[in-house]
Amino acid sequence: MATGAIALQFVDSEMKISRKILKFTEPLTYRRGWRRAQRSLFRVPLAPMLAHIDRERAREIQQRYMNSTAGYAKYANIEPWLQLNRERVQDLNLHRSSPKRVLDLGCGGGFFLFILKNLGHSVLGLDVERVPLFGELLELFEVPRLVYRINAFEPLPDLGEKLDWITAFSVNFNLYHPSKERWGTAEWDFLLHDLQARLAPGGKIFFGLNPLYNGGYHTPEIRDLFLSRGADVERERIFFENGVRL
Ligand SMILES: C[S@@+](CC[C@H](N)C(=O)[O-])C[C@H]1O[C@@H](n2cnc3c(N)ncnc32)[C@H](O)[C@@H]1O
């Protein structure tokens, strides 16, 4: 190989290395990498949790939905969803936490709360009663659910006790029906005030947002609202570690 070509190759690989270093030092890439590393160092074992459920019933549910074309039928195969939710639990450090009271908005089949319950937390899901499969999974997991539809500008019902955590993953209660238009800042701010009123001192709120049609997760206005209310905003991850700043 000619000397010039070697020099060029060297410059090219040097650039690749510095790009990698730069990527690693970018906060978002760094945080994601750190979470991945943490998860792979220690994974909360699921087998002891699965030993508590009726495996025969789980198989029956899975088989019944195997050929279903419904979008939600994918949740009938529970293991991948439990693995995903184990990551959610670990990313929030709830596997290393003393027992907390956790409310999960739009809890779906209850995968996240099932893991938390097995880790000693006290859990309650909140969801509409639209998808029978979710009801079957919640029953299988013995996760309690409050049937309730979150509507813009309407406070949640009285839950009887203060909460340490309020979570919501793959959020879509912020869609108007049937237009599928998304909530604006006023709707979100109403919900944030309402949720804060339900938190115990030191309580935390976490939202995992669904992507918008343009691939982003929030408009600049909603991002600014979350930030001004004290959230840490990392793409789809909105975390009010110290509750909502009012
Ligand atoms: C994409 S699923 C996510 C389920 C679960 N959080 C998960 O990540 O596996 C969204 C959930 O939000 C619920 N949901 C949608 N609109 C809602 C509303 N207005 N009030 C309460 N739950 C709602 C749906 O029924 C569904 O269970």
Side-chain angles (χ1 to χ4, degrees):
M1 198 186 287
T3 329
I6 294 172
L8 267 178
Q9 220 179 29
F10 181 69
V11 170
D12 187 42
S13 56
E14 216 181 16
M15 273 172 60
K16 273 187 194 146
I17 292 168
S18 44
R19 220 176 301 136
K20 272 190 185 151
I21 292 172
L22 191 72
K23 243 184 135 183
F24 196 66
T25 52
E26 282 168 11
L28 192 125
T29 316
Y30 172 75
R31 283 198 200 187
R32 288 189 175 249
W34 177 251
R35 276 200 298 273
R36 258 199 309 276
Q38 292 278 309
R39 286 183 211 141
S40 63
L41 277 177
F42 173 70
R43 289 186 211 283
V44 170
L46 293 176
M49 303 185 189
L50 286 168
H52 291 145
I53 68 167
D54 180 343
R55 297 306 294 261
E56 195 43 51
R57 173 85 173 127
R59 252 189 303 277
E60 186 274 315
I61 293 174
Q62 184 176 355
Q63 274 165 8
R64 193 152 32 85
Y65 284 92
M66 204 145 58
N67 298 320
S68 165
T69 52
Y72 56 78
K74 60 186 179 191
Y75 292 107
N77 180 17
I78 63 174
E79 295 215 10
W81 297 102
L82 284 174
Q83 284 159 11
L84 169 74
N85 281 276
R86 166 172 61 190
E87 292 184 359
R88 291 171 169 173
V89 168
Q90 293 199 210
D91 289 352
L92 296 178
N93 238 348
L94 278 162
H95 61 311
R96 293 214 186 98
S97 145
S98 56
K100 302 292 181 209
R101 293 156 296 180
V102 184
L103 171 70
D104 190 36
L105 306 176
C107 64
F111 299 96
F112 176 70
L113 294 180
F114 170 68
I115 297 175
L116 288 188
K117 189 187 73 165
N118 276 278
L119 293 171
H121 300 290
S122 143
V123 302
L124 177 65
L126 179 151
D127 209 312
V128 296
E129 204 174 20
R130 195 177 57 88
V131 177
L133 170 61
F134 289 163
E136 294 180 274
L137 292 173
L138 288 159
E139 202 182 292
L140 178 77
F141 293 144
E142 295 181 26
V143 164
R145 173 185 63 181
L146 174 67
V147 174
Y148 184 80
R149 175 174 295 279
I150 301 169
N151 282 317
F153 303 119
E154 285 178 18
L156 298 185
D158 182 8
L159 299 167
E161 62 171 354
K162 294 277 184 182
L163 301 153
D164 302 303
W165 278 82
I166 301 175
T167 55
F169 296 93
S170 302
V171 165
N172 62 10
F173 54 72
N174 60 328
L175 294 179
Y176 281 106
H177 293 284
S179 70
K180 297 271 187 275
E181 246 175 77
R182 281 168 202 262
W183 284 5
T185 50
E187 291 91 329
W188 271 110
D189 209 24
F190 183 94
L191 180 75
L192 293 178
H193 275 75
D194 186 34
L195 296 184
Q196 178 59 30
R198 291 147 198 289
L199 284 183
K204 302 175 195 301
I205 299 175
F206 179 87
F207 299 123
L209 299 184
N210 264 335
L212 306 174
Y213 301 113
N214 68 10
Y217 291 94
H218 28 65
T219 60
E221 294 74 24
I222 287 177
R223 180 174 196 273
D224 286 348
L225 170 74
F226 289 149
L227 290 172
S228 72
R229 294 289 179 208
D232 179 76
V233 177
E234 187 196 319
R235 232 156 63 176
E236 80 280 18
R237 302 170 61 83
I238 316 298
F239 186 27
F240 296 86
E241 189 169 8
N242 302 308
V244 177
R245 192 189 300 140
L246 300 176

